[in-house]
Amino acid sequence: MSDLKNRKRIGTSVDLEIWDSFEKLAEKTKIPKSKLFDEALEDIVKKYELK
C-alpha cells in the first residue's frame, strides 16, 4: 500500500548535466527537489498545452 496520497511515484532517466544543475539549484534554494520537479512539469505542460 502506498503512503503517497496526492503524489505519483515515477522512474525516469535524466541528462547528467541537467541533474547536476538541478541538485545544485535544490541545495542553493533549499527548495525540495519534488517541489522543483512539480514546477518544471507544470511549466512544460503549459508550454505544450493544446489550445
Side-chain angles (χ1 to χ4, degrees):
M1 181 179 262
S2 176
D3 59 343
L4 304 174
K5 296 191 186 296
N6 295 312
R7 312 283 301 164
K8 171 73 174 171
R9 188 175 307 275
I10 63 168
T12 189
S13 60
V14 180
D15 180 277
L16 288 175
E17 288 182 24
I18 294 171
W19 184 253
D20 288 342
S21 296
F22 183 72
E23 286 194 311
K24 288 176 186 172
L25 177 65
E27 187 174 321
K28 181 179 179 181
T29 62
K30 304 295 186 215
I31 299 171
K33 291 178 196 164
S34 60
K35 295 267 186 208
L36 291 172
F37 197 67
D38 284 348
E39 184 177 341
L41 287 174
E42 191 174 333
D43 288 348
I44 201 80
V45 167
K46 286 179 184 175
K47 179 179 177 179
Y48 291 102
E49 193 170 40
L50 298 176
K51 299 182 180 196

